[in-house]
Amino acid sequence: MLMYAVHVGNGYASSQLEAGLSLLSRDKERRIRQLVRREDQVRSTAGQLLSAWLISAYRGVFPESSQLTRTTYGKPYWLADPECCFNISHSGEWVVGVIGGVPVGIDVEEVQDIDLSVSDMVFSAPEREALSARKGADAREYFYTLWTCKESCLKAMGTGFSYPPRDITIQPEAGHLHIQDGDRLIPYTLRTYDALGSGYKLAVCARGMGSKLPLQPEMLDAGELLEACCLQRLDDTLCK
């Protein structure tokens, strides 16, 4: 299993953003250009490039942008190999991704002030009880830990928030959980990371008890990712 974290804090110069967009399909380029905020354009472009780079690093093939799409629940997949399991997330200055041989999910969130009452909509009763036992900054930190764990799990399931999030109870310290699917209990492995600094929470979830999750993400900056993708595309073009 591979995991990457791309720092986009300095963004892309105009020429770099154009170079990144040129690697995408016309439809993806058009949709990204429609985003109002430049930082959203940068994160979305980096997310598309990271998806392709993950597949290239894991499978040895740099996919065409048009071959990367999403299910009706928003889970990304590769048309050439729908069984290739990868996932992407971005928040603030980071874009992160994971790929492996089992269904996986990843979530990153920038820790910000938030109305903790939103937990009533997404957290189970045991989770809300654990959250209410914490106060101030500790409660906020725990909220984001739970949130990233839960969202990474829902993404690994392939359902996103269409699955009732309050039906799942996360215990971050346990490192595993079981999800009810009809009359079956499906095991998942969970890990949280501090690699992005105190202002961010990061979690990865993979289907299966004891799935070997990365110890830490491989770190790249936005320019390194763009250069790697440009070189890979050039290599593929010359080899044809």
Side-chain angles (χ1 to χ4, degrees):
M1 190 174 294
L2 299 176
M3 177 184 177
Y4 282 86
V6 180
H7 187 238
V8 296
N10 295 324
Y12 284 132
S14 296
S15 60
Q16 289 178 309
L17 182 58
E18 290 301 315
L21 289 169
S22 72
L23 296 175
L24 308 184
S25 67
R26 290 184 178 180
D27 180 59
K28 288 188 174 71
E29 178 186 352
R30 176 185 57 79
R31 286 190 282 112
I32 289 175
R33 289 188 186 278
Q34 289 175 343
L35 297 174
V36 175
R37 300 194 307 168
R38 193 175 189 281
E39 55 264 40
D40 290 332
Q41 294 182 359
V42 169
R43 281 192 292 260
S44 295
T45 300
Q48 291 292 329
L49 296 179
L50 182 56
S51 295
W53 178 248
L54 282 169
I55 293 172
S56 175
Y58 193 71
R59 289 292 179 88
V61 177
F62 193 82
E64 293 291 334
S65 175
S66 60
Q67 291 288 301
L68 300 177
T69 186
R70 292 181 178 272
T71 68
T72 55
Y73 294 114
K75 188 174 180 64
Y77 72 98
W78 181 24
L79 288 173
D81 184 2
E83 298 303 313
C84 182
C85 303
F86 68 99
N87 204 241
I88 300 291
S89 180
H90 56 73
S91 180
E93 297 185 354
W94 291 95
V95 178
V96 297
V98 64
I99 188 168
V102 295
V104 291
I106 190 169
D107 189 53
V108 60
E109 298 291 343
E110 185 177 10
V111 177
Q112 300 175 325
D113 288 334
I114 190 170
D115 182 357
L116 296 180
S117 66
V118 72
S119 63
D120 294 339
M121 296 184 291
V122 294
F123 291 169
S124 67
E127 289 170 337
R128 295 196 301 273
E129 182 178 355
L131 179 62
S132 66
R134 294 164 168 82
K135 304 299 179 185
D138 186 38
R140 184 182 60 186
E141 292 280 324
Y142 193 71
F143 172 90
Y144 279 103
T145 296
L146 282 177
W147 182 281
T148 53
C149 287
K150 178 155 292 192
E151 186 160 355
S152 68
C153 176
L154 293 170
K155 292 169 79 174
M157 292 169 63
T159 62
F161 280 92
S162 66
Y163 189 97
R166 290 187 296 182
D167 288 357
I168 302 170
T169 296
I170 301 289
Q171 294 178 301
E173 63 280 358
H176 63 269
L177 65 155
H178 288 78
I179 305 301
Q180 187 80 36
D181 181 14
D183 58 356
R184 297 185 303 157
L185 285 174
I186 303 176
Y188 285 80
T189 302
L190 182 69
R191 174 171 284 170
T192 59
Y193 300 85
D194 298 322
L196 307 186
S198 60
Y200 290 86
K201 295 295 182 180
L202 173 63
V204 170
C205 185
R207 184 165 177 166
M209 188 67 69
S211 292
K212 293 184 178 179
L213 303 182
L215 295 177
Q216 293 292 341
E218 297 286 338
M219 311 294 278
L220 295 172
D221 65 36
E224 290 173 328
L225 174 65
L226 175 60
E227 181 180 2
C229 289
C230 286
L231 289 174
Q232 185 64 61
R233 175 58 60 84
L234 179 61
D235 285 345
D236 288 350
T237 301
L238 291 176
C239 289
K240 288 182 178 178

